[in-house]
Amino acid sequence: MIQQLVMYEEELAQINHICETLARDSNAKAVLVIDKNGQAMASAGDVHELDITSLSSLTAGNVAATGGIASLLAEKEFAGQFLEGEKISYHVSIIGQRVILVVLFDGRSSLGLVRLRVRKASVELVGVLETMVRKSASGSGQPSVFSEITDDDIDNLFND
Amino acid sequence: MSFINYSSREINCKIVYYGPGLCGKTTNLQYIYNKTNPEAKGKMISLATETERTLFFDFLPLSLGEIRGFKTRFHLYTVPGQVFYDASRKLILKGVDGVVYVGDSQMERMEANIESLENLGSNLQEQGYDLAKLPYVVQYNKRDLPNAIPMAELEEVLNPTKVPSFEAVAPKGIGVFDTLKAVAKLVLTELRKGS
């Protein structure tokens, strides 16, 4: 059976709040929360010019590749990555082994400040994620939309 | 692993195209990309070598429309087909919701087909999946080539469990959308079962 990760309104609001606080307190350009399979979950900051879908997929691929390298080196995981560009830097950390927190920042911030703020945000995110995973597993919160889907609904999706 | 967002009313699913090197996985995605309305697709990303062989993966995000007010988004991935990229293939299978196995119809690629299919089974198993329980379809590509093996023979060897299968000529688009629709339907049906 396919395991589902379900995001409800309440948890999304909490994650958005954590992202916004992190973006503000770290002077970041943008903050993204991505699930390890490459789906964007939340974002904050100056994101309107970003291709979030592509960034999410590539970041997840990058984290997966790094995880593969870690296991070849008998490391549990490399919990963080930092890529320094001329204008933009990219800080990645894995939260609760489940999601990826990305902070994009420029000269207005520094790696030290980002690391400090990420540490605080990580603790908060872990708490929200635990609730999310528990709710996803138990199916509590709202009735699943899928139980009502008919064959016709699925067929209609493919009627050109 | 599908991701359902009740807040933005979106269902996100991951489909992986698997198969031996040069069987046409990337060509499937390129055709889908070229024939899809701009508003229904995102950017197609190909992490390829200088000779256009897939190095890590191709990625194409696609919106298929709405079901009961939920936007359905499919993320299509290909794996690198060449044997020595096995570590990368394993990574891409993580979190998969549906698999398309693309076989190469040419006689001389039969051994590569079998090897890739076995590799798919063992890599899925390593990730905790069972191919028999996953939404899964088979595509026989390159049906237009003179050295193509008859369908019955391909079916016998590459599709013993008789999942939905499709003949294709990917550069011309023959069978490409039929394959995609079939696997997407199976994924959505599986999601309903799991609800």
Side-chain angles (χ1 to χ4, degrees):
Chain A
M1 196 182 99
I2 300 172
Q3 302 166 275
Q4 293 169 11
L5 189 62
V6 183
M7 172 88 90
Y8 294 105
E9 199 84 47
E10 195 181 345
E11 283 71 38
L12 182 65
Q14 289 170 359
I15 293 174
N16 277 335
H17 178 69
I18 295 168
C19 289
E20 281 157 16
T21 307
L22 174 59
R24 191 184 59 234
D25 291 354
S26 63
N27 285 339
K29 273 185 79 69
V31 171
L32 307 176
V33 175
I34 302 162
D35 97 324
K36 265 190 156 181
N37 301 320
Q39 316 274 9
M41 295 168 75
S43 60
D46 197 5
V47 292
H48 59 277
E49 283 180 3
L50 292 176
D51 180 349
I52 291 178
T53 307
S54 299
L55 257 177
S56 301
S57 161
L58 286 173
T59 297
N62 195 7
V63 165
T66 309
I69 293 168
S71 66
L72 285 177
L73 300 175
E75 267 293 325
K76 193 175 156 218
E77 69 177 8
F78 293 116
Q81 277 185 61
F82 170 59
L83 304 178
E84 189 174 12
E86 213 170 284
K87 290 181 190 148
I88 298 279
S89 294
Y90 163 98
H91 183 277
V92 171
S93 38
I94 301 168
I95 311 291
Q97 296 177 313
R98 188 108 202 189
V99 302
I100 304 162
L101 177 63
V102 178
V103 180
L104 299 173
F105 62 97
D106 57 18
R108 292 175 303 146
S109 186
S110 67
L111 179 58
L113 178 63
V114 168
R115 277 200 175 135
L116 182 70
R117 300 304 187 206
V118 160
R119 210 170 297 152
K120 180 170 178 281
S122 302
V123 176
E124 293 171 2
L125 272 175
V126 166
V128 181
L129 282 170
E130 281 170 1
T131 311
M132 236 178 104
V133 169
R134 208 172 41 242
K135 273 193 182 178
S136 300
S138 68
S140 66
Q142 294 181 29
S144 169
V145 63
F146 294 107
S147 54
E148 293 171 10
I149 288 177
T150 63
D151 287 342
D152 284 347
D153 286 332
I154 296 175
D155 284 335
N156 285 340
L157 201 58
F158 299 100
N159 288 341
D160 295 327
Chain B
M1 182 186 66
S2 57
F3 174 52
I4 304 159
N5 192 333
Y6 275 92
S7 187
S8 60
R9 301 189 77 75
E10 281 178 11
I11 304 161
N12 291 283
C13 304
K14 177 175 180 176
I15 292 173
V16 174
Y17 283 69
Y18 211 94
L22 295 174
C23 70
K25 301 174 290 293
T26 301
T27 311
N28 264 268
L29 258 64
Q30 278 166 343
Y31 187 83
I32 294 165
Y33 180 79
N34 290 334
K35 294 292 172 186
T36 307
N37 293 331
E39 63 271 19
K41 67 186 175 194
K43 196 183 284 177
M44 179 165 165
I45 292 171
S46 288
L47 301 179
T49 66
E50 283 178 4
T51 52
E52 295 193 356
R53 300 296 304 271
T54 302
L55 178 63
F56 195 3
F57 58 79
D58 303 303
F59 168 69
L60 175 60
L62 208 62
S63 296
L64 284 186
E66 289 194 1
I67 282 191
R68 304 257 163 160
F70 273 72
K71 289 177 213 135
T72 55
R73 292 190 198 281
F74 285 83
H75 285 184
L76 312 185
Y77 285 84
T78 66
V79 297
Q82 293 179 87
V83 175
F84 56 90
Y85 287 133
D86 199 39
S88 304
R89 278 193 293 278
K90 287 179 192 175
L91 298 176
I92 293 152
L93 284 175
K94 282 185 182 174
V96 67
D97 293 304
V99 176
V100 175
Y101 172 78
V102 182
D104 189 324
S105 296
Q106 298 176 93
M107 180 73 83
E108 55 269 37
R109 296 300 288 161
M110 207 52 191
E111 207 178 316
N113 282 333
I114 295 167
E115 189 183 355
S116 172
L117 191 58
E118 286 171 354
N119 179 255
L120 169 63
S122 62
N123 280 347
L124 280 172
Q125 213 168 13
E126 225 175 276
Q127 310 283 347
Y129 295 98
D130 178 356
L131 185 57
K133 291 179 183 160
L134 264 183
Y136 170 55
V137 302
V138 173
Q139 181 189 82
Y140 303 110
N141 195 20
K142 310 194 186 185
R143 293 306 300 157
D144 57 336
L145 296 185
N147 51 349
I149 298 175
M151 277 295 287
E153 209 174 310
L154 286 170
E155 277 281 280
E156 196 185 324
V157 179
L158 300 178
N159 190 11
T161 54
K162 300 288 172 256
V163 297
S165 62
F166 302 88
E167 294 188 64
V169 183
K172 293 181 182 161
I174 298 168
V176 169
F177 276 98
D178 293 336
T179 308
L180 173 63
K181 284 174 185 178
V183 74
K185 271 188 188 182
L186 289 178
V187 167
L188 292 170
T189 307
E190 187 66 26
L191 280 173
R192 183 177 60 184
K193 265 196 241 164
S195 68

